[in-house]
Amino acid sequence: MTACVAVINAGSSSIKFAIYAAGAYRPPAYRGEIEGIGSAPRLTVSDSEGDMVEEEWWPSAGFDHRAATEKLLEIATGLLGGRPVAAVGHRVVHGGTDFAAPVRIDAKVMAALEAISPLAPLHQPHNLAAIAAISEGAPHIPQVACFDTAFHRAQPDVAQLFALPRDLVDSGVRRYGFHGLSYEFVSTRLYELAPELADARVIVAHLGNGASLCAIRGGRSIATTMGFSAVDGLMMGTRCGSLDPGVLLYLMDRGLDARAIEELIYKKSGLLGVSGISSDMRTLQASDEPDARQAIRLFVYRIVREIGSLSAALGGLDALVFTGGIGANDPEIREAVIAGSHWLGIEFDRERNRAGDRLVSRWQSEVRVWVIPTDEERMIAQHTTDVLKLH
């Protein structure tokens, strides 16, 4: 009986999952999500054809990430009908300075990951809760941690440093970068589509509710917009992006404590804060309110500025790739970003962009522009298979 590899991607209020036949990564046998954890938990599961095969709701009381993972184990067991699960791979947001590659989870690794939870307090505990739930409910199944920070550990030292006293840097206050699993998948897929770009200077724009850019050459991260935390860099759905530290000092002097500032910069800013309407780009694009239009302009402006910065870090640019929920699905935002970056030598093809083609620049363009949907779960499944040698 063919074994399966399960993937769990735990976010702050949701858990995405996918189940793959071991060694076969596209499409997954099942893919689904429990969303609304803490408010109105809802499960949806679709099969390899994209047809929904399961839908369920639960009361919010007591339904945390651990309970959600336990429920996933129960549901997956029923869906697989006796097929064994060979391993579970997890997206873990932060690997700190010690984890530069996926690793099999044991008690020592778990303790190390718990110790660095303060580096990602809004994400890491949820990742670890899912791991702990599986360790208790199915201790015989090996688990692998795949880190969002690991891809960026290859950056030059100068790209990882803040201009702070050495003792702070040595204690872990440095630029880490995130969305690494997405960047790894997209860059790999780009080289499959265009092998001539294998050593090219590439910027990938991961644009969604969380957003960042990454400069890549030869499959290695050179620089990225997110830094110590996932609130840095670009403006996002509810996160402010880069902010003068003096603003935080000002807010502290006004009486805001650390938790209030955290709530402000992570959950009340970005598209939501500027527009006063929504964090959803689709809602803002449908609105005639001036603040909604300004929020969109600021979102694009910050992306264009950072594309210029990362192009400098690369010493030029050969390809720009859009991914993420907005990047892969919103032709208007792509067009606006490309218009602001035309000086790089992009020959835009509006018809291809509107049609949703993979290549949205002209082939002869000095800088080619691609659209490549990301697949973090597939990347995690591949890493899990490799770590455990399940080939």
Side-chain angles (χ1 to χ4, degrees):
M1 188 176 291
T2 304
C4 297
V5 172
V7 169
I8 292 182
N9 186 341
S12 58
S13 62
S14 67
I15 298 180
K16 296 178 183 178
F17 68 94
I19 301 173
Y20 299 82
Y25 306 115
R26 190 172 57 181
Y30 296 100
R31 185 189 292 274
E33 179 177 13
I34 295 180
E35 56 187 345
I37 298 173
S39 56
R42 172 179 177 253
L43 164 79
T44 54
V45 183
S46 58
D47 61 18
S48 59
E49 301 297 323
D51 297 325
M52 186 177 294
V53 296
E54 188 117 10
E55 187 173 22
E56 195 169 346
W57 291 262
W58 299 278
S60 61
F63 197 89
D64 57 13
H65 281 72
R66 182 180 287 256
T69 306
E70 292 169 351
K71 184 60 69 173
L72 284 181
L73 276 172
E74 176 186 323
I75 291 166
T77 300
L79 288 171
L80 293 174
R83 294 172 64 187
V85 175
V88 179
H90 295 264
R91 172 179 174 254
V92 176
V93 166
H94 220 300
T97 57
D98 291 333
F99 296 101
V103 63
R104 182 169 180 167
I105 301 168
D106 57 20
K108 184 177 179 180
V109 169
M110 196 68 170
L113 296 179
E114 289 171 348
I116 61 174
S117 284
L119 295 177
L122 300 184
H123 299 88
Q124 196 91 339
H126 302 310
N127 304 153
L128 301 186
I131 295 169
I134 291 175
S135 293
E136 291 180 12
H140 61 286
I141 300 178
Q143 300 185 79
V144 171
C146 302
F147 304 99
D148 247 353
T149 53
F151 184 68
H152 305 295
R153 299 296 295 134
Q155 288 180 2
D157 286 344
V158 70
Q160 299 185 48
L161 295 178
F162 290 118
L164 290 170
R166 180 64 61 181
D167 60 333
L168 285 174
V169 175
D170 292 342
S171 73
V173 182
R174 58 173 60 220
R175 299 183 63 87
Y176 290 99
F178 299 90
H179 290 143
L181 291 163
S182 175
Y183 290 129
E184 185 178 8
F185 175 83
V186 170
S187 60
T188 300
R189 184 74 181 116
L190 174 65
Y191 304 146
E192 291 173 352
L193 294 168
E196 69 276 9
L197 296 176
D199 193 42
R201 299 162 298 182
V202 178
I203 292 175
V204 178
H206 179 111
L207 307 179
N209 190 52
S212 67
L213 306 177
C214 186
I216 298 171
R217 186 159 195 173
R220 295 167 64 88
S221 175
I222 302 301
T224 188
T225 55
M226 282 184 172
F228 179 75
S229 71
V231 76
D232 194 17
L234 302 181
M235 174 184 178
M236 306 177 217
T238 62
R239 288 173 252 174
C240 62
S242 295
L243 188 67
D244 183 339
V247 174
L248 304 183
L249 296 175
Y250 171 78
L251 294 175
M252 292 169 66
D253 286 341
R254 293 282 299 272
L256 272 68
D257 63 13
R259 298 289 72 80
I261 291 174
E262 180 180 76
E263 180 81 6
L264 172 68
I265 65 176
Y266 274 95
K267 297 181 179 180
K268 295 182 177 180
S269 299
L271 291 171
L272 175 63
V274 176
S275 71
I277 297 171
S278 175
S279 63
D280 192 312
M281 181 62 74
R282 293 164 296 188
T283 301
L284 299 183
Q285 287 175 330
S287 173
D288 294 326
E289 291 296 322
D291 289 347
R293 309 314 302 172
Q294 186 177 62
I296 296 171
R297 288 197 302 272
L298 183 56
F299 182 77
V300 171
Y301 172 76
R302 290 296 306 155
I303 295 167
V304 170
R305 275 192 58 174
E306 291 296 334
I307 286 174
S309 172
L310 293 185
S311 296
L314 286 166
L317 190 63
D318 301 304
L320 173 64
V321 185
F322 288 93
T323 194
I326 295 173
N329 299 300
D330 193 324
E332 291 184 19
I333 293 298
R334 290 197 300 266
E335 182 168 350
V337 170
I338 293 168
S341 307
H342 69 91
W343 60 275
L344 288 165
I346 299 172
E347 296 183 42
F348 180 54
D349 190 314
R350 182 173 284 105
E351 291 184 5
R352 285 180 173 174
N353 182 53
R354 293 286 170 177
D357 287 358
R358 191 61 52 83
L359 181 69
V360 297
S361 62
R362 295 186 175 90
W363 185 258
Q364 70 272 20
S365 177
E366 184 177 343
V367 175
R368 294 181 193 166
V369 183
W370 300 78
V371 178
I372 301 177
T374 193
D375 194 339
E376 293 168 317
E377 286 79 22
R378 180 180 170 190
M379 197 77 251
I380 294 168
Q382 290 179 314
H383 281 315
T384 300
T385 298
D386 292 342
V387 168
L388 299 176
K389 297 179 170 59
L390 298 176
H391 303 282

